[in-house]
Amino acid sequence: MNVAVSRKKQQQPFRQCDQLLEFLKSQSSYPHRPIEVRSIETHISWVFITSPFVFKIKKPVSLGFLDFSSLEKRHHFCQRELELNRRLCPEVYLEVVPIYKGASGYSFKTGGQIAEYSVKMKELPDGWFLRQLLARHVVRETEINRVISRLHRFYESQTPAPQIEEWGKAEKLKISTDENFAQVEPCVGKTISQVAFDAIRHFTNNFYCTNNRLFRERVRQRRIRDCHGDLHLDHIHLTPHATTIFDCIEFNDRFRFIDIANDLAFLAMDFDFEWEHKLGDLFLRNAAREFSDPGILNLADFYKCYRAIVRGKVESIQAIAEDPTPRENHANRATRYFHLALRYAVVGSEPLVLVVMGRIATGKSTVAKQLARELDWPLFSSDEIRKTLAGLPLNVRTLPKLHDELYSERMTDQTYEKLLQNGLAALAIDNGVVLDATFSSRRQREHLRKECARAAIRLRMIELQAHPKEIKRKLKARERAVGQVSDARLEDFEKLTANYEAPSEVAELIGVSTAGSALDTVKVVLLSLAEKQSVTWPS
């Protein structure tokens, strides 16, 4: 079943649960009589916090990747949840508790027929979940290493049996990624754009083709284990005395029979989602060292992309809700996860300056804006910075008497220096930035390269290319247009063309024709970036 299943079909089994949910929300329902009952709803469960215990009920849903549609299946997966999670935290997972229904209603006491099953757990003290610690800015290398140490012991305890290792092969893993794309496709145009969806899928499929040997090597090295499968911030609890990792995947074995790198990538991705890129990077690098497994880093972006797509899918499922507020919140989170997945697919995890350059009137500003929107990155334009520095209105053509000074070499140098400063400053918060400028001289490009190298920031340059006749047509059209930031017009064509030095010195330059629509150009850019990103090398 895909995530676009009709709301009517979704709601039908839940109406039958209304009385059960009311029972579970009541303090008097529980033998230990809690002071209060707090409830949490996910896309597949209801959780009732009844201090000092927690009761978890599985929703009667079938979502393709899981099937809780019958009582027997829910009982089976409650048992599996208990067994599997006791591997990492036996003190938390207590028992599977039946819920009965008799003439007087629901009860935890024996009597009547079993109507439902719940997993009974020990409540973990609030304030110590990793997401909460992160929000308080108290997660440091010590906490990161505690998580790594606990995971290392866990992975070492899991025997890599042949039926598990089979799922480390590219053709097996592709079952899960293909399933994701099939289930996310109905979200296109809602929480993910078509060009982003196409680029992520292109990156994923191309990665399998270009790195098949790497996947086989991981199997040979016995890196495929029965892992956690859902290793994110909310499933890690760190007190001064205990490291607890809970709520692993129980409903689908292939989501746990994975590469250790895949498991770790989920948590690294979650750090990135919370704008804690340095912690995510620290986590993976320290884990690679602790496990004597540098190959983790070669696969990190691929698996983080996969994990971000999974989270975007889950948030999209939760966006199908009755209440507009949580629906909107889930949709926004889904979009953020898909932005993150696109970044992994086309530019990777390391900080990056993405430059959209080229001759005048090649569509740089339009394409740069769309790329910044797709990547959810800040955008800086040389045209806007130039006029801002001069104190001139952005959308009004500069008067002839001011033109020479505005476009003098001195003003151009100031403009490009400010462009670079703004871009590098933005990287303190965001992990990437888009710069929109002609970069017509080799001197400008060399200065950019040196400054990025000095700051240890990667640089990627896109040159938009158009036929001279098309450039002239666009310049002529500007005479009738309003709201143009650029001052370049048809009379400037010959001079600006003569001054443009082709970027032949730029290594790995991506040249893209703008003969089609702006959206077509953006798609070509993203697919080209994805192809480069899908090639990796062993350490």
Side-chain angles (χ1 to χ4, degrees), residues 160-162 165 217-225 260:
E165 292 182 316
E217 183 67 11
R218 299 294 291 174
V219 175
R220 190 192 67 78
Q221 293 174 351
R222 314 209 79 185
R223 304 295 187 184
I224 317 304
R225 304 289 171 99
I260 290 169

Side-chain angles (χ1 to χ4, degrees), residues 88-89 91-92 124 150 235-239 242-246:
L88 270 163
C89 49
E91 71 285 354
V92 172
L124 294 168
R150 183 68 191 92
H235 292 166
I236 298 173
H237 190 265
L238 293 174
T239 68
T243 301
T244 305
I245 300 174
F246 63 100

Side-chain angles (χ1 to χ4, degrees), residues 31-264:
H32 66 288
R33 294 295 191 269
I35 296 174
E36 66 171 344
V37 178
R38 290 176 288 126
S39 62
I40 300 171
E41 182 177 353
T42 74
H43 65 301
I44 61 174
S45 302
W46 289 291
V47 179
F48 298 89
I49 303 169
T50 66
S51 302
F53 304 114
V54 174
F55 292 81
K56 183 177 178 182
I57 314 295
K58 299 187 186 302
K59 289 182 177 180
V61 295
S62 177
L63 299 173
F65 56 89
L66 65 80
D67 186 359
F68 295 161
S69 58
S70 71
L71 180 62
E72 292 74 22
K73 289 176 180 177
R74 294 195 293 279
H75 183 211
H76 168 74
F77 286 115
C78 281
Q79 292 287 356
R80 289 293 285 159
E81 182 170 359
L82 194 74
E83 296 162 5
L84 290 165
N85 280 290
R86 280 179 170 174
R87 301 176 303 169
L88 270 163
C89 49
E91 71 285 354
V92 172
Y93 284 77
L94 303 176
E95 59 181 323
V96 174
V97 177
I99 302 173
Y100 300 91
K101 186 176 184 182
S104 58
Y106 290 96
S107 174
F108 284 105
K109 298 178 181 178
T110 304
Q113 292 185 331
I114 296 177
E116 196 52 81
Y117 292 92
S118 64
V119 177
K120 182 179 179 182
M121 296 169 280
K122 178 183 176 182
E123 182 186 12
L124 294 168
D126 195 34
W128 298 97
F129 295 94
L130 192 51
R131 188 179 301 280
Q132 294 173 324
L133 297 176
L134 196 65
R136 299 207 306 268
H137 307 289
V138 293
V139 178
R140 302 288 186 268
E141 188 167 10
T142 299
E143 288 71 32
I144 293 292
N145 287 343
R146 282 178 59 188
V147 175
I148 291 170
S149 179
R150 183 68 191 92
L151 287 170
H152 194 191
R153 295 196 303 273
F154 169 62
Y155 295 142
E156 289 296 306
S157 71
Q158 301 304 305
T159 305
Q163 65 269 27
I164 294 174
E165 292 182 316
E166 186 75 12
W167 289 98
K169 297 177 180 177
E171 60 270 23
K172 286 289 191 177
L173 183 59
K174 197 172 186 299
I175 294 173
S176 294
T177 54
D178 284 350
E179 178 182 76
N180 274 337
F181 290 124
Q183 292 170 339
V184 168
E185 195 158 16
C187 303
V188 171
K190 300 170 186 174
T191 52
I192 184 172
S193 71
Q194 185 68 60
V195 291
F197 180 84
D198 291 342
I200 296 167
R201 184 165 57 180
H202 184 70
F203 162 76
T204 301
N205 292 334
N206 209 48
F207 195 95
Y208 287 128
C209 295
T210 58
N211 297 282
N212 195 274
R213 184 171 65 86
L214 181 56
F215 287 106
R216 293 199 305 270
E217 183 67 11
R218 299 294 291 174
V219 175
R220 190 192 67 78
Q221 293 174 351
R222 314 209 79 185
R223 304 295 187 184
I224 317 304
R225 304 289 171 99
D226 187 342
C227 295
H228 184 281
D230 202 16
L231 192 67
H232 58 75
L233 292 168
D234 295 315
H235 292 166
I236 298 173
H237 190 265
L238 293 174
T239 68
H241 308 293
T243 301
T244 305
I245 300 174
F246 63 100
D247 205 12
C248 76
I249 295 288
E250 86 286 352
F251 52 78
N252 196 323
D253 287 347
R254 66 180 159 92
F255 292 169
R256 289 193 331 277
F257 295 171
I258 55 177
D259 193 318
I260 290 169
N262 189 344
D263 217 28
L264 298 173

Side-chain angles (χ1 to χ4, degrees), residues 8-20:
K8 182 176 179 181
K9 287 182 179 179
Q10 276 194 323
Q11 290 172 356
Q12 190 60 35
F14 296 110
R15 293 197 183 102
Q16 300 169 10
C17 296
D18 287 347
Q19 289 181 336
L20 173 62

Side-chain angles (χ1 to χ4, degrees), residues 397-410:
R397 192 179 182 191
T398 303
L399 296 173
K401 63 181 181 179
L402 301 175
H403 190 276
D404 288 347
E405 171 58 24
L406 184 63
Y407 292 92
S408 66
E409 184 175 344
R410 179 187 65 83

Side-chain angles (χ1 to χ4, degrees), residues 305-449:
C305 179
Y306 165 63
R307 291 302 188 172
I309 283 287
V310 169
R311 289 305 303 165
K313 177 181 72 174
V314 168
E315 293 289 346
S316 295
I317 292 172
Q318 291 182 279
I320 305 172
E322 282 295 297
D323 192 332
T325 302
R327 182 167 68 237
E328 183 178 353
N329 290 342
H330 286 303
N332 290 339
R333 284 176 63 83
T335 298
R336 280 192 59 211
Y337 275 117
F338 289 138
H339 282 315
L340 193 54
L342 179 65
R343 295 202 290 269
Y344 295 137
V346 300
V347 293
S349 298
E350 299 298 319
L352 177 79
V353 171
L354 180 65
V355 172
V356 180
M357 60 164 291
R359 300 174 191 272
I360 56 168
T362 50
K364 294 185 299 297
S365 295
T366 302
V367 170
K369 285 178 184 177
Q370 185 62 32
L371 285 171
R373 189 178 302 118
E374 292 292 346
L375 294 166
D376 196 23
W377 279 354
L379 166 69
F380 296 99
S381 160
S382 63
D383 286 335
E384 293 184 4
I385 288 174
R386 187 186 296 271
K387 287 188 172 180
T388 300
L389 288 174
L392 297 174
L394 295 181
N395 298 314
V396 177
R397 192 179 182 191
T398 303
L399 296 173
K401 63 181 181 179
L402 301 175
H403 190 276
D404 288 347
E405 171 58 24
L406 184 63
Y407 292 92
S408 66
E409 184 175 344
R410 179 187 65 83
M411 194 63 181
T412 296
D413 286 345
Q414 287 184 23
T415 297
Y416 275 79
E417 190 60 37
K418 183 63 174 175
L419 178 72
L420 180 56
Q421 289 175 5
N422 289 352
L424 293 179
L427 291 174
I429 300 174
D430 294 277
N431 213 39
V433 64
V434 179
L435 303 185
D436 161 26
T438 305
F439 278 100
S440 60
S441 77
R442 183 167 186 164
R443 180 175 64 86
Q444 292 165 350
R445 298 189 295 263
E446 184 62 19
H447 179 62
L448 172 68
R449 186 194 65 77

